[in-house]
Amino acid sequence: MIEIEGIGITWGSEFALKDINLHVREKEFFVILGPTGAGKTLLLELIAGFYQPDAGVVKIRGHDVTRLPPERRRIGFVYQDYALFPHLSVRDNTAFGMRMRHPLRKRDVFNLGRAADTIREHRQAIDSRVDEAMDKLNITHLGHRKPLTLSGGEQQRVAIARAIAMNPPVMLLDEPLNALDARTKDMMRDELRRIHEEFALTTLYVTHDQAEAMMLADRIAVMMDGSVVQVGTPEEIFQSPASEEIAKFVGMENTFQGTVTGREDDLTIIKIDDEHTMEAVSKYNAGEQVRVLIRPEYITLAETSDHTSARNNYGGTIKRVVHMGPISKVELNCDGLYLAAFVTRRSVDDMALEAGMRLCASFKATSVHVIKHGVQI
Amino acid sequence: MTHRQRTGRKPEAYSVIFAILGAVILSFIILTISNMIVLQFLADYPGFVDAVKDPGVWRSIWLSIWTAIAATLIALVLGVPLAYMLARRDFMGKGLVEAVIDVPVVIPHTVAGIALLTVFGYHGLIGAPLRTIGIKFVDMELGIIIALLFVSVPFMVNSAREGFQSIDPRLENIARSLGASGWGSFCRVSLPLAVRQIVVGAIMTWARAISEFGAVVVIAYYPMIAPTLIYERYISFGLKASRPIAVLLMLVCLLVFVILRIFSSRWKLYDRD
């Protein structure tokens, strides 16, 4: 679908991107993960056509688009800070792309009646497409507002609606969740995956957040210092990072692929593997494939599970304790389920935590964040 | 006004000094303007009435106004694209171009007039060939407009450039990705977002043009724009003859200036609702 072959660009005297090769498949959710300054945004901008590479080729559906201007590539683009047009209302922002299309043909010049019809039909088409996009992103009620009066989450939705309204086969997202607060972030992450599937998009998503990459990606490319250093499924990247440097950067996140096996009101039972199930608050039904995330700070450690009201309790052995300033990361192996928990340095000392010790890890059903995520093969 | 002192403590020494210094320069401006106007009305009201009734005076004032408008329009058409390029592109010699744009501001205006006459005069580099097809600059409205354009265009370019520079280039990127051509993104995004700075630039350009005397008097003494007329009356007949016209021109300029100020300050394009 998107083929990037040998892309390179120099910025001043330095290499900003070096010989990038990527192959993104049709309808794939492809995440480019890397630390700040790795050149991720620049790569997206090259694919969109805002800049020209010094070397290499960008192909979309087999067509070489390297020298095409951005307006002829049909690519939706969402920037980190949304880049909404401040002088246009939400509705006019959403309709911007559609209004840039000129419906008239040359022959209409000789037939004004047909030209008028064409224009009327075009206007109706714009209206219905814009209505649909605004409806899908739940921003219909914001139609007359100006972007600067909206919250971050609302601006985000407008930026996505504006790109979606053009019905692009390819969507490029540059750290779209970065500027949002944690709660909105969780919600939008779910939403992005839903939009990806609903509109059958091929999505290229840039982030420096491992949890985001883990949750959303079908495949991940890790980028460092202007080069792609590893490409693979989230499991491959996080379980067998190709180098020490990658291992250090991706760390370990509590994300798991699972299947919903039952649901009672909002309480969902999710089967992770044959030995492990998890209870989570979500709206998904039995049989649905999901991905779950538990933030390390939501996991509590105790010697026994007697005094906890949390729904999820796993006994396990400490693999490693990593000190990170005032807090420490405790990595546990709970019979094949690997969990990481943050505890204060003080608790590490009080409980005398060390590798090999047996412990009980607990977390509430409300601490488990779930998004729908079919596995693509 | 909004920074009122909350406590009843005495104003500090530095703010007293600043207030006094500010008051001196303000009174200098206000006194100079108002003294002339007031004195005219008190001491020589009939002289003012004569000036108002003189069609020659109005002809000069009108000539001043419309040639300044013409110069502003030309500055808009030629200056805005240059301003955009300066704001958006990096190219060899950009610093030189920016310096060249500022040159008309720093050279004395009689010098500018001499330079213009050299190029656009009967034997000038441009004046000579154009004269053969009947286009003349010396002592023509066209000469006035050329002079006004030369001295005032820097204000247009600099103001518009600031306007374009303040726009996030990523807005233009997004417009392009949504299917707008380079031209479309300029017209639909960059221009509307910079329009306020462009209007401010146009007002400055017009104000600078209508106040020009030195360059115009060299290339086109006739037909007389208002400043030339005032100068001529002063030289030939003295202060008493020239002052009424000066007062009239000042009142007209103030009126236009006030109208434009009100118009542009109310114009909130995309500020928060």
Side-chain angles (χ1 to χ4, degrees), chain A residues 161-182:
Chain A
R162 178 175 64 179
I164 285 291
M166 289 295 285
N167 206 8
V170 176
M171 189 78 164
L172 307 182
L173 301 157
D174 179 23
E175 307 233 13
L177 303 180
N178 219 16
L180 302 177
D181 59 274

Side-chain angles (χ1 to χ4, degrees), chain A residues 50 71 79 81 86-87 100, chain B residues 170 173 176 188 270 272:
Chain A
F50 303 154
E71 63 267 28
Y79 270 117
D81 53 5
H87 58 304
M100 281 293 140
Chain B
R170 290 181 301 176
N173 287 349
R176 296 294 294 270
R188 298 287 191 104
Y270 62 92
R272 284 169 178 274

